[in-house]
């Protein structure tokens, strides 16, 4: 299965600033997904990012707040913009491959 | 609307015994199911999957059972080990679309 390198693993950020999270995959994949896991809750899909097209956002998530780039089939970034303490979560990327789904190790974000 | 539910937030089992984690879903369109394990401060780790054409899939100590008529999924861990202590999530999707995740069950395996 695919191997994903996700960076940073954790960060503490000031409110009002932005953080960009990167995911690098060791193979070409068509579909990449960005999830959020807030404390005590299950994983929630933020958006689906396909190379060469605009990301598709789930209800409750907007591009201005969570802009996504997908410049090629092995890389994607998610930016958490104008952060507030409510954005403190674990953010994960995931890819769909021929033999299943793989998740990155996650980015633990704390906004102070 | 939560389409995948794990009604037990926690489970405690003695080492060497069987752990049974349960998951219910409401959408009959789901055709692919997964179990993930998650340690604190780490991303989920894939454990085992099952497609709707099967009712059982086994991988070492882990077995997933699917009862389509009851819309019920379960994960059996035999024998349970202290290293299995983690939060377990079930997830479901169809047509390779988005996954719907349960809220997780925290398993504690006591030595």
């Amino acid at each position: 299965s695919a191997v994903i390198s996700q960076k940073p693993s954790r960060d503490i950020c000031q409110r009002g600033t932005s953080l960009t999270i990167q995911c690098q995959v060791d193979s070409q994949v068509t579909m990449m997904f960005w999830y959020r896991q807030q404390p005590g809750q299950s994983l929630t899909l933020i958006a689906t990012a396909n190379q060469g097209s605009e990301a598709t956002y789930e209800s409750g998530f907007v591009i201005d707040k969570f802009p996504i780039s997908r410049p090629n089939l092995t890389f994607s970034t998610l930016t958490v913009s104008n952060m507030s303490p409510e954005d403190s979560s674990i953010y994960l990327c995931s890819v769909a491959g021929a033999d299943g789904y793989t998740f990155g190790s996650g980015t633990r974000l704390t906004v102070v | 609307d939560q389409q995948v539910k794990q009604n037990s937030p926690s489970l405690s089992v003695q080492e060497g015994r069987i752990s049974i984690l349960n998951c219910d879903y409401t959408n009959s369109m789901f055709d692919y199911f997964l179990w993930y394990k998650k340690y604190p401060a780490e991303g989920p780790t894939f454990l085992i999957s099952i497609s709707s054409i099967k009712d059982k899939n086994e991988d070492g100590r882990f077995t997933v059972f699917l009862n389509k008529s009851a819309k019920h999924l379960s994960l059996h861990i035999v024998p349970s080990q202290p290293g299995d202590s983690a939060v377990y999530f079930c997830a479901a999707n169809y047509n390779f679309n988005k996954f719907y995740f349960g809220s997780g069950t925290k398993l504690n395996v006591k030595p």
Side-chain angles (χ1 to χ4, degrees), chain A residues 9-10 37 90 92 105-106 108, chain B residues 37-45 82-89 106-107:
Chain A
S9 59
R10 59 179 61 212
Q37 184 177 27
I90 296 176
L92 299 117
S105 54
R108 180 179 288 271
Chain B
K37 177 170 70 174
K38 186 179 182 302
Y39 294 114
E42 293 183 14
T45 303
D84 296 329
S85 297
V87 179
Y88 290 77
F89 293 93
K106 185 174 183 179
L107 173 65

Side-chain angles (χ1 to χ4, degrees), chain A residues 34 45-49 53-69 77-79, chain B residues 98:
Chain A
W34 285 97
L45 181 65
I46 297 171
T48 302
S53 62
E54 294 274 340
T56 303
Y57 288 82
E58 297 298 309
S59 175
F61 298 96
V62 294
I63 188 171
D64 290 345
K65 176 67 176 176
F66 298 101
I68 287 172
S69 78
T77 67
L78 170 77
T79 299
Chain B
K98 63 180 277 188

Side-chain angles (χ1 to χ4, degrees), chain A residues 10 31 33 35 37 40-43 45 58 90 92 96-97 99-106 108, chain B residues 2 32 34 36 38 40-46 89 93 95-104:
Chain A
R10 59 179 61 212
M31 301 177 75
F33 307 89
Y35 288 87
Q37 184 177 27
Q41 298 186 25
S42 65
L43 289 152
L45 181 65
E58 297 298 309
I90 296 176
L92 299 117
D99 50 354
Y101 291 77
T102 307
F103 282 87
S105 54
R108 180 179 288 271
Chain B
Q2 195 169 356
Y32 188 68
L34 300 164
Y36 280 94
K38 186 179 182 302
E42 293 183 14
T45 303
F46 169 78
F89 293 93
N93 79 343
N95 287 341
F96 279 89
N97 288 318
K98 63 180 277 188
F99 270 105
Y100 295 84
F101 285 84
S103 54

Side-chain angles (χ1 to χ4, degrees), chain B residues 7-111:
Chain B
N7 292 317
S8 298
S10 64
L11 175 67
S12 187
V13 172
Q14 202 67 39
E15 180 179 7
R17 307 293 285 268
I18 184 171
S19 295
I20 301 177
L21 298 104
N22 293 304
C23 181
D24 296 293
Y25 61 96
T26 58
N27 190 339
S28 58
M29 296 288 291
F30 288 145
D31 58 11
Y32 188 68
F33 304 87
L34 300 164
W35 282 96
Y36 280 94
K37 177 170 70 174
K38 186 179 182 302
Y39 294 114
E42 293 183 14
T45 303
F46 169 78
L47 266 179
I48 193 167
S49 65
I50 189 168
S51 75
S52 59
I53 62 173
K54 291 186 167 183
D55 55 18
K56 177 183 175 181
N57 189 26
E58 194 171 354
D59 183 4
R61 297 186 296 114
F62 301 93
T63 303
V64 57
F65 294 92
L66 175 62
N67 184 334
K68 291 186 288 293
S69 60
K71 295 191 181 71
H72 180 80
L73 190 71
S74 63
L75 174 69
H76 293 209
I77 306 173
V78 182
S80 302
Q81 300 174 354
D84 296 329
S85 297
V87 179
Y88 290 77
F89 293 93
C90 64
N93 79 343
Y94 58 93
N95 287 341
F96 279 89
N97 288 318
K98 63 180 277 188
F99 270 105
Y100 295 84
F101 285 84
S103 54
T105 297
K106 185 174 183 179
L107 173 65
N108 179 34
V109 180
K110 296 177 287 187

